[in-house]
Amino acid sequence: MAQGRGNLPHFGDAQTADVVLLLIPLEGAALPPIHVHSKALCRSEFFEARLSERWAVDDRRPVELTLDKCKNPETYSRCIQLMYVPDRVKHSSFAGVQDALNILEVAAELLFHDCVNACMGFLESIPWTNENENAIRSCLSSLHIQVTPDLASRLNSAQNLPDCKPVEIMKELLGELLSLVTNGAPSKARDITERVLLANVQPSASPAFAAVNEVALFKELQNNLDALKSQLRKFASFFSWSSHQLFIASSALRWLLEELFALQIGDVAIKMFSEEQDLAQLMISRIYQNPFTETLFCILVRMLQALQSGEVVIPRSIRVAFITTWLPVVAKLSNDSEEISRDDGLQLKLEEGLRAVVGTLAIADQEEIFKIWIGTCLKCRRAYPDLSTTFDSWCDKLRQAQKEKDLQRGTSDTDETPGGLAFILTESSPSVSCSKSLDASPS
């Protein structure tokens, strides 16, 4: 590093030096005087101004300059040596990220612009650890310098890159990743996608990235539902359908739902399913050997468990719509499909979830549910799902409600029967049980 630059003399050559530089540290002993040359020092605007001031009043040589309060005199000495080094090889003088940052701070102070640019060029072109990147950001934020476009681009510095749109970039990237995963990409793609989704909702990330997650996931969820329903329509009409494509769509659907729950936005997925009359009808259009029945039951169990545990909180109206949409489907598939009837564990979980969620509803809402239950479940040989304990509790509440009304009126008129209970006790025809009951064509 002590070699001369072009026709510059050597750094530290006392015989030709016309400047003697003293570096005084903040604390501790000063370094020995450094013999340098004004031609090299004038590459720094700071030194050029200092020398002009001194020579304006005294043109004797060598001139003595003092830099006091040097944080690290060794770094100042190294920075001054770089004034003798050609710009094209200056990068070879840096030992690493921290070394370049140390010199950058001094070069910025001395207004040594060629060295500042060399430091930033070096930093931009080498690999970083997370600690390196944090140190670079911290250093640059403390210096009043213009960051080079390449380094600003790598740091994604918005103020230096007005055309940079991180949200749009993430939206496009996440869409591609989700499409890969939902179309059966290897597990590595799934792992990477899950990490991106999780990182987007960390406190350190912008809230806009959490919104990107939500939009991308629900778009992909809808796409998979559409693909699934397309295959189920072909299956229901005995048309050529692809078991492979249906398997991929089913697997992707379950994964997407798990990601939504993990990111605490599963409530919108449950709302979507509460409105899926089309899928519900397709499921009972051809029950025998329906390839999606087990996956559907697993999805419903997951949603019911989320509601049961409080993992997801949704309005009462959506809970009612969810139960009234899928209770008839569950009853029809369970009672008419031999394959699913053998999976007692899955059916017990589904039954338990249905009982728990129905139990969270108001008396009037439960009346609607139990009309469906009597009309679609009790008439079947297996009478599945068994909601009898929740039904008994509802009847008790009706009796208690009427008792309280009697007491309020100061009478004990036991001949009056509540309207809802009278319907349940006297209604015997399944055909008038509920408008939301779904009828299946023969399988």
Side-chain angles (χ1 to χ4, degrees), residues 85-100:
V85 176
D87 291 338
R88 60 183 177 79
V89 295
K90 202 179 260 72
H91 61 272
S92 62
S93 303
F94 306 123
V97 170
Q98 193 56 55
D99 184 50

Side-chain angles (χ1 to χ4, degrees), residues 108-361:
E109 179 186 342
L110 299 179
L111 303 179
F112 183 11
H113 302 303
D114 290 341
C115 187
V116 168
N117 290 332
C119 289
M120 289 192 285
F122 174 80
L123 291 170
E124 185 276 328
S125 64
I126 65 170
W128 301 338
T129 64
N130 290 336
E131 292 76 12
N132 290 154
E133 182 169 352
N134 291 335
I136 292 170
R137 290 182 184 278
S138 176
C139 177
L140 293 176
S141 65
S142 67
L143 301 176
H144 299 291
I145 58 175
Q146 181 67 42
V147 180
T148 60
D150 286 346
L151 182 57
S153 178
R154 185 170 173 186
L155 290 167
N156 189 25
S157 179
Q159 63 272 25
N160 293 310
L161 295 171
D163 297 330
C164 182
K165 299 177 181 178
V167 171
E168 294 302 319
I169 294 173
M170 177 56 69
K171 188 183 299 183
E172 182 177 352
L173 170 67
L174 191 54
E176 292 180 5
L177 286 172
L178 288 172
S179 180
L180 276 176
V181 173
T182 56
N183 281 284
S187 58
K188 185 67 174 180
R190 179 173 295 191
D191 293 341
I192 292 173
T193 305
E194 289 173 353
R195 290 204 302 270
V196 171
L197 289 168
L198 185 60
N200 282 352
V201 296
Q202 295 302 308
S204 58
S206 166
F209 275 55
V212 168
N213 273 5
E214 190 167 342
V215 171
L217 282 168
F218 284 115
K219 179 181 178 182
E220 200 62 34
L221 180 64
Q222 190 60 62
N223 289 342
N224 273 271
L225 277 172
D226 292 342
L228 176 68
K229 288 187 287 188
S230 174
Q231 291 300 318
L232 288 175
R233 287 189 189 95
K234 295 178 181 179
F235 173 79
S237 59
F238 294 88
F239 190 73
S240 176
W241 61 285
S242 170
S243 60
H244 177 67
Q245 290 183 19
L246 192 142
F247 172 77
I248 289 177
S250 300
S251 300
L253 190 60
R254 290 188 65 177
W255 178 77
L256 286 167
L257 289 171
E258 281 300 330
E259 289 304 304
L260 289 170
F261 284 120
L263 298 171
Q264 299 181 337
I265 49 178
D267 55 324
V268 183
I270 295 178
K271 183 178 184 297
M272 286 177 64
F273 264 72
S274 72
E275 300 168 350
E276 266 296 341
Q277 298 292 336
D278 192 17
L279 179 60
Q281 189 63 51
L282 281 170
M283 288 304 300
I284 60 172
S285 296
R286 180 184 169 190
I287 295 174
Y288 181 66
Q289 292 184 338
N290 189 315
F292 187 62
T293 298
E294 184 175 355
T295 299
L296 173 66
F297 276 30
C298 290
I299 289 173
L300 294 178
V301 165
R302 180 66 180 92
M303 292 182 171
L304 289 167
Q305 288 176 339
L307 293 172
Q308 182 180 356
S309 66
E311 178 186 354
V312 171
V313 176
I314 58 175
R316 188 188 78 192
S317 59
I318 298 178
R319 300 201 303 275
V320 172
F322 183 79
I323 298 296
T324 55
T325 296
W326 293 106
L327 177 59
V329 177
V330 169
K332 192 71 175 174
L333 292 174
S334 298
N335 289 296
D336 294 355
S337 173
E338 294 182 1
E339 290 83 0
I340 201 66
S341 298
R342 289 194 288 266
D343 193 345
D344 293 335
L346 183 59
Q347 291 201 71
L348 285 173
K349 291 178 182 178
L350 185 53
E351 197 172 56
E352 179 186 353
L354 286 168
R355 283 197 297 262
V357 175
V358 171
T360 68
L361 301 174

Side-chain angles (χ1 to χ4, degrees), residues 363 367 394-403 405-406 413-426:
I363 289 179
E367 176 184 358
W394 175 71
C395 289
D396 289 341
K397 290 178 182 178
L398 285 176
R399 298 185 189 98
Q400 182 63 32
Q402 185 59 41
K403 188 68 175 177
K405 283 188 176 183
D406 292 345
D413 183 6
T414 58
D415 294 331
E416 183 180 349
T417 305
L421 183 56
F423 178 90
I424 294 296
L425 297 178
T426 60

Side-chain angles (χ1 to χ4, degrees), residues 45-89:
E45 291 183 8
F46 170 81
F47 281 122
E48 183 179 28
R50 288 285 302 273
L51 288 171
S52 297
E53 292 173 0
R54 291 295 300 273
W55 285 330
V57 297
D58 187 355
D59 60 356
R60 288 179 298 176
R61 302 290 193 277
V63 63
E64 186 175 290
L65 294 180
T66 301
L67 288 182
D68 55 6
K69 299 182 180 179
C70 296
K71 184 178 178 181
N72 187 337
E74 290 287 352
T75 304
Y76 279 80
S77 177
R78 290 192 58 219
C79 183
I80 293 167
Q81 289 183 59
L82 289 173
M83 297 177 185
Y84 290 79
V85 176
D87 291 338
R88 60 183 177 79
V89 295

